[in-house]
Amino acid sequence: MSTSPQLGKEFRYLSAEEVISLGISREDVLETVRRALVEHGRARYEMPAKVGVHPYPEVFFHAMPAYLPGLGAVGMKWIECYPNNPEKFALPQTTGLQVMNDVESGVPISLFDSAWLTAHRTPAVTVLAAQALHPGARTFGMFGCGIQGREHVRYADTLLTDLESITVYDTREEAADRLIAELQPQVEVKLVKGTSVEAVVKENEILSSATVILREPQSIAKDEWVSAGQTILPCDLNTFWDPATCARGTYIVDSADEHELFAEMGYFPGGLPDIAAETGQVLAGVRPGRTSADEIVVNSNIGMAVCDIAMGKLIHERAIDRGVGTLLPL
Ligand SMILES: NC(=O)c1ccc[n+]([C@@H]2O[C@H](COP(=O)([O-])OP(=O)(O)OC[C@H]3O[C@@H](n4cnc5c(N)ncnc54)[C@H](O)[C@@H]3O)[C@@H](O)[C@H]2O)c1
C-alpha cells in the first residue's frame, strides 16, 4: 500500500489503467469541473493561454499550466492533438501527461496519463454549460461518436435529466452504431442514429460536436439549418459550424485568451466573433448566458487547464486514499 510521497524525494506515477481504476464517478467529475469553472468565472486563477509547438501544419502540442488558489492546486498538462492519428497509426487524436506539484514547496508530487481526465472533464464542461444555457431541453444532437462523443452521451444522460433523446451522428456509420449498441443499455435517455447532419441540426434543441480541429472552418453544419433558440456547444473550435452561425449567435467561450490565441494562429480566418461572456462567468452568475428564448447561443469550449488541474487534484488525492500508483524517486 503506497502512502503520500516524501516531498522532494519521490513522486507518484499512475498509468492510464490506474487512473481509471480509481473509479471516480461522473458526479464527482461534474462537481470538480463546476468548481473549477466558477473559480475561473470569478477570476480566481492563473492560467496563461496555451504555449504550443507545431511539428506539422494541422497538429499541435500544448503546455497547459494552471494554479487555482481556492483549491490549492497547481500543475500542468502536456498534450498533443494529431487529427490523423486514428487513421495513420490506430492511435488516439489526443494523448498526454499531467504533472501535479505541491503548492507550498513547488516540488512535483504526481505524474499521470491524462487521457481519462480529458475524456471526462470535456463533456462535463459541455453539459454544465448546456444546463445553464438551455435548461429543460428535451433533445440533444451529438456530432462525432469517438472518445468524446461517447462520454458526452454518458454525461448528458447524468446531468440533463429532462432529455428525452440524444441523436448521434458520425461520418463513420459504424461508430454511431457501436456507440448506440454499447451505451443504450447503460443510459436512460433514448439514443437515436442521425440520418444526416441537416436532420440532426434541424431536429435538436442542443447540439454539440467533437470531430476534428482544423485551421480552416469546414462549415459542415450550414447556417440556414440552425434556427432561433438553439444552443450549440462545439468542442472542436470552429471546424464543424458555419462561421455565419457563430457571428449571428451570442458567442460564449470557455476562455477568451485561448480563443484569441487560436485566432492569432489562423484558426478563425474570417475573424473571431465578438465574445459575450466566458462559460465560467455564466456558471458563477457573473455574466448572463442566454437572455431570450429566441437567441441562438454558441458556446465554444476548447478546454482549460483550470479544469485539468482541479481534476488532477482529485486524482492525486484519490490515488493516495486508495494506494494506487507507483512511488518513483525524483
Ligand atoms: N475542447 C476540448 O476540451 C477537447 C478535449 C479533447 C478533445 N477535443 C477535440 O474533440 C474532437 C474529438 O476528439 P475524440 O478524442 O473524441 O476523437 P475521436 O477520433 O475518438 O473521435 C472523433 C470522431 O469524429 C468523427 N468525425 C470526424 N469528422 C466528422 C464529421 N464531419 N461529422 C461527423 N463525425 C465526424 C470521426 O469519425 C470519429 O468517430 C477532436 O477535435 C479533439 O481535438 C476537444
Side-chain angles (χ1 to χ4, degrees):
M1 196 64 121
S2 50
T3 53
S4 289
Q6 286 183 66
L7 274 183
K9 297 217 163 19
E10 52 189 5
F11 69 99
R12 182 180 304 272
Y13 174 72
L14 286 93
S15 68
E17 284 303 318
E18 285 171 328
V19 173
I20 294 167
S21 79
L22 296 173
I24 295 172
S25 68
R26 277 190 280 286
E27 287 74 13
D28 285 347
V29 172
L30 285 163
E31 207 34 59
T32 302
V33 171
R34 183 193 296 280
R35 175 103 195 264
L37 288 171
V38 168
E39 291 297 298
H40 186 263
R42 295 196 178 137
R44 295 195 294 234
Y45 69 95
E46 193 177 352
M47 185 185 76
K50 292 159 186 157
V51 176
V53 291
H54 311 85
Y56 305 109
E58 287 297 359
V59 312
F60 56 78
F61 285 79
H62 278 156
M64 299 175 67
Y67 169 46
L68 284 162
L71 276 69
V74 65
M76 186 181 77
K77 185 164 85 167
W78 173 237
I79 59 137
E80 59 74 19
C81 180
Y82 273 57
N84 295 325
N85 263 4
E87 282 162 35
K88 270 175 88 176
F89 304 114
L91 286 171
Q93 294 191 54
T94 308
T95 58
L97 283 172
Q98 182 159 319
V99 60
M100 297 297 293
N101 296 73
D102 175 53
V103 175
E104 282 181 33
S105 65
V107 298
I109 47 176
S110 58
L111 177 74
F112 40 81
D113 184 276
S114 63
W116 181 87
L117 79 90
T118 303
H120 285 252
R121 64 77 153 135
T122 309
V125 172
T126 299
V127 301
L128 286 163
Q131 190 186 46
L133 294 168
H134 206 128
R138 295 185 188 278
T139 52
F140 189 114
M142 183 74 221
F143 295 102
C145 296
I147 295 167
Q148 286 298 331
R150 304 159 76 75
E151 293 304 333
H152 271 70
V153 166
R154 289 194 170 104
Y155 276 86
D157 182 64
T158 303
L159 192 71
L160 307 177
T161 47
D162 291 316
L163 282 182
E164 289 166 2
S165 67
I166 302 178
T167 303
V168 298
Y169 180 89
D170 199 293
T171 36
R172 294 180 305 118
E173 211 179 326
E174 71 276 13
D177 288 335
R178 212 172 327 118
L179 183 157
I180 294 172
E182 189 190 323
L183 295 192
Q184 186 63 86
Q186 301 172 20
V187 297
E188 283 184 23
V189 68
K190 186 174 179 338
L191 302 183
V192 178
K193 186 162 89 170
T195 50
S196 67
V197 175
E198 180 175 354
V200 177
V201 170
K202 286 183 171 170
E203 290 164 10
N204 290 281
E205 294 164 80
I206 297 181
L207 297 156
S208 182
S209 56
T211 58
V212 289
I213 296 175
L214 301 174
R215 217 171 275 260
E216 281 296 320
Q218 306 292 297
S219 300
I220 293 160
K222 304 282 175 246
D223 186 46
E224 61 262 31
W225 302 337
V226 176
S227 55
Q230 284 183 299
T231 301
I232 300 171
L233 299 127
C235 301
D236 40 14
L237 210 61
N238 63 334
T239 311
F240 195 80
W241 302 90
D242 195 329
T245 305
C246 303
R248 76 185 168 108
T250 300
Y251 195 59
I252 298 172
V253 300
D254 53 357
S255 162
D257 288 348
E258 300 287 358
H259 280 72
E260 280 157 15
L261 183 77
F262 273 99
E264 280 169 28
M265 291 191 289
Y267 280 80
F268 291 87
L272 184 64
D274 290 341
I275 295 171
E278 291 182 318
T279 311
Q281 292 174 327
V282 175
L283 268 103
V286 171
R287 289 220 188 155
R290 170 177 293 284
T291 53
S292 80
D294 286 348
E295 207 174 354
I296 292 167
V297 176
V298 179
N299 176 207
S300 171
N301 295 301
I302 189 53
M304 294 199 293
V306 290
C307 297
D308 299 318
I309 298 316
M311 289 285 292
K313 184 176 165 74
L314 179 65
I315 289 169
H316 176 73
E317 289 176 349
R318 191 68 64 90
I320 292 173
D321 281 355
R322 302 267 165 101
V324 173
T326 308
L327 290 182
L328 296 172
L330 278 168

